[in-house]
Amino acid sequence: SDQNGQSFTFHDGEKTIEAQTKLLGEHNIENLTGAIAVAKSLGISDKDIKFAIRRIKSVPHRLELTTKGNLSIIDDSYNSNPVSSKLAIDTLAKFDGIKIVVTPGLIELGAEEEKYNRELGIHIAKKSCDYVYLVGNSTQTNAIESGLIEQNYPEHKIQRVALPQEAVAYASKKHPSEKVTVLLLNDLPDNY
């Protein structure tokens, strides 16, 4: 995984296909391998399969990757759940350079909301993300911060912002010549 998407190798027992896709996330590679198997069984050429894989675009706000110079943004800001949020963090962890998470936290989880947000903070800390920008001051962001601190994540690397755009602007200014990847995570379009 990098700012161009993902590269992978498909083995069918006889031949291999080296492929590239703009899609991010291991789950998308698993989906593509199933599609490749079906395409091969239908007699579609390897060249046509590789071309089709390169052309697939992300669904908006679902691990959608955009790059502007040294800044890459992984937009996974549509309504999320505990499992997909952790997978997005895992995807970010594969990128080189400085890794930044921007999130208002998980919402609409009922009585389990605080627990899942704390677990998200723990997962972010374990994946060695360099900075965390928490959008707003809420039960969700407080729980994420609690999970981060529980894992001894450096408190000076946790910032509070009112809007996600502030976090992206700060990241660009703070690291103007370094490779930076920002993950916009959870419910940002609806609420911000």
Side-chain angles (χ1 to χ4, degrees), residues 5-189:
Q6 294 186 100
S7 300
F8 66 98
T9 304
F10 176 84
H11 303 277
D12 71 358
E14 298 173 14
K15 296 169 79 181
T16 61
I17 295 176
E18 300 286 333
Q20 286 189 302
T21 181
K22 295 174 189 164
L23 300 177
L24 295 178
E26 288 183 25
H27 60 286
N28 280 317
I29 300 299
E30 291 175 20
N31 294 338
L32 286 172
T33 59
I36 292 169
V38 170
K40 289 183 81 55
S41 73
L42 295 171
I44 297 173
S45 73
D46 290 353
K47 180 181 173 185
D48 288 342
I49 291 170
K50 288 170 65 169
F51 179 74
I53 290 169
R54 271 195 312 272
R55 292 189 62 212
I56 298 171
K57 294 181 181 179
S58 298
V59 174
H61 309 296
R62 304 277 189 176
L63 290 178
E64 182 180 21
L65 179 65
T66 57
T67 302
K68 297 174 187 170
N70 292 337
L71 177 66
S72 295
I73 296 177
I74 302 171
D75 181 354
D76 198 43
S77 61
Y78 194 73
N79 190 6
S80 192
N81 63 63
V83 173
S84 67
S85 294
K86 288 179 180 177
L87 292 173
I89 299 296
D90 293 348
T91 298
L92 174 65
K94 293 179 180 183
F95 278 70
D96 292 330
I98 296 169
K99 297 174 254 320
I100 299 171
V101 177
V102 178
T103 184
L106 298 161
I107 63 169
E108 300 171 349
L109 295 173
E112 300 291 306
E113 193 166 271
E114 192 170 337
K115 170 190 160 202
Y116 286 124
N117 279 291
R118 187 181 64 71
E119 288 176 0
L120 180 61
I122 290 168
H123 193 71
I124 291 168
K126 287 182 177 180
K127 291 297 177 172
S128 301
C129 296
D130 297 298
Y131 297 93
V132 179
Y133 288 89
L134 299 173
V135 181
N137 189 6
S138 64
T139 303
Q140 298 89 353
T141 56
N142 292 339
I144 292 170
E145 185 172 22
S146 173
L148 288 163
I149 291 169
E150 182 180 317
Q151 293 298 306
N152 298 313
Y153 190 85
E155 289 186 48
H156 70 277
K157 293 187 172 195
I158 304 168
Q159 300 291 320
R160 298 276 181 159
V161 293
L163 297 170
Q165 295 87 341
E166 288 178 53
V168 174
Y170 291 153
S172 296
K173 286 180 188 175
K174 191 171 186 174
H175 310 284
S177 61
E178 298 173 73
K179 188 184 284 188
V180 175
T181 304
V182 175
L183 172 62
L184 301 176
L185 186 63
N186 306 85
D187 297 310
L188 292 170

